Amino acid sequence: DGGITQSPKYLFRKEGQNVTLSCEQNLNHDAMYWYRQDPGQGLRLIYYSQIVNDFQKGDIAEGYSVSREKKESFPLTVTSAQKNPTAFYLCASSTWGLAGGKNIQYFGAGTRLSVL
Amino acid sequence: QQPVQSPQAVILREGEDAVINCSSSKALYSVHWYRQKHGEAPVFLMILLKGGEQKGHDKISASFNEKKQQSSLYLTASQLSYSGTYFCGTGDYKLSFGAGTTVTVRA
């Protein structure tokens, strides 16, 4: 079955700790994205990557880091610099290069991060 | 820039209709509509492209007015399964999403 797998489903972070959220896709998509979702605020883009070994900051990249060493994988690290990390994190993937907004994004089931 | 959705929330009885609007201050290439159940992944419903075409997904349809830079999602004869939060996404290569409209359908 093709899809996007995020793990873990729930994650707890202690003060001063970095934590890494996993995202894997087997849709053969070039582009991958990380979003943060807070109640009433919709989806805000953290980082995105159009191709392996390249990624771009989104609207709220501060306190986060990513890597894209393989096409299938796009892990997100929430660093200790992110002072308010409690949120629902969603990973998505899509084709890239179809102009006119035709790249449809498909989402994983999300990781809920809480601070201890 | 984030598109603006209205209303923020709507409560329906089964069989009633509703309209959700999505508007942008920027020119739109396309509008994507998603539905998210609580704690789950957003699910793609449909994409509206330039040309003002109307599309449908079961009894959920949408229109796209380029001149007004807005799209509307129509929930017709709503079912309990229509409950969830609906998001519109706009943009060219990457999307900006609205804050969402929470739809509750009651028996």
Side-chain angles (χ1 to χ4, degrees), chain B residues 1 3 7-8 10 12 20-22 26 32 37 39 45 48 50 53-54 66-67 70 73 86 89 94 99 105-106:
Chain B
Q1 192 165 357
Q8 278 188 301
V10 60
L12 302 166
I20 300 170
N21 297 304
C22 174
K26 295 170 66 173
H32 301 225
K37 304 277 185 177
L45 293 176
L48 284 298
K50 272 188 169 183
E53 63 179 303
Q54 190 149 346
E66 292 166 52
K67 285 185 180 176
Q70 68 182 36
L73 188 73
Y86 291 78
K94 60 182 177 70
V105 181
R106 293 181 174 162

Side-chain angles (χ1 to χ4, degrees), chain B residues 6-40:
Chain B
S6 63
Q8 278 188 301
V10 60
I11 299 174
L12 302 166
R13 290 206 177 274
E14 266 188 303
E16 291 182 339
D17 302 339
V19 180
I20 300 170
N21 297 304
C22 174
S23 62
S24 174
S25 58
K26 295 170 66 173
L28 294 176
Y29 294 96
S30 66
V31 179
H32 301 225
W33 285 99
Y34 290 81
R35 178 173 63 207
Q36 184 182 29
K37 304 277 185 177
H38 184 70
E40 298 180 8

Side-chain angles (χ1 to χ4, degrees), chain B residues 5-7 10 12 17-23 31-36 43-48 53-65 70-76 82 84-89 100-103:
Chain B
Q5 284 186 238
S6 63
V10 60
L12 302 166
D17 302 339
V19 180
I20 300 170
N21 297 304
C22 174
S23 62
V31 179
H32 301 225
W33 285 99
Y34 290 81
R35 178 173 63 207
Q36 184 182 29
V43 173
F44 173 74
L45 293 176
M46 66 189 80
I47 180 173
L48 284 298
E53 63 179 303
Q54 190 149 346
K55 299 200 77 172
H57 174 87
D58 195 10
K59 288 185 180 171
I60 298 174
S61 62
S63 63
F64 178 23
N65 189 320
Q70 68 182 36
S71 175
S72 296
L73 188 73
Y74 306 95
L75 308 182
T76 304
Y82 288 3
T85 300
Y86 291 78
F87 293 98
C88 66
T101 296
T102 300
V103 173

Side-chain angles (χ1 to χ4, degrees), chain A:
Chain A
D1 257 346
I4 301 173
T5 302
Q6 289 188 241
S7 62
K9 193 171 173 72
Y10 299 95
L11 188 58
F12 298 91
R13 194 192 88 166
K14 295 179 182 177
E15 287 288 336
Q17 189 181 41
N18 293 353
V19 292
T20 298
L21 285 61
S22 170
C23 178
E24 304 273 333
Q25 56 101 357
N26 60 5
L27 299 169
N28 199 32
H29 284 162
D30 288 316
M32 296 186 75
Y33 312 80
W34 274 106
Y35 293 93
R36 171 178 171 142
Q37 188 173 32
D38 295 282
Q41 293 198 39
L43 305 172
R44 293 186 290 168
L45 183 63
I46 304 172
Y47 271 98
Y48 66 101
S49 166
Q50 312 101 298
I51 195 169
V52 174
N53 292 324
D54 191 29
F55 46 83
Q56 310 295 327
K57 291 183 179 180
D59 301 318
I60 55 165
E62 188 173 343
Y64 300 97
S65 66
V66 293
S67 63
R68 186 89 186 273
E69 296 176 3
K70 298 187 299 181
K71 186 175 183 178
E72 303 79 20
S73 178
F74 192 41
L76 173 75
T77 296
V78 182
T79 74
S80 56
Q82 173 49 247
K83 297 306 179 190
N84 182 24
T86 297
F88 189 48
Y89 291 86
L90 286 161
C91 177
S93 72
S94 75
T95 54
W96 186 268
L98 300 176
K102 295 175 187 169
N103 301 295
I104 296 169
Q105 294 187 23
Y106 296 91
F107 287 83
T111 293
R112 192 164 297 278
L113 176 62
S114 302
V115 177
L116 288 177

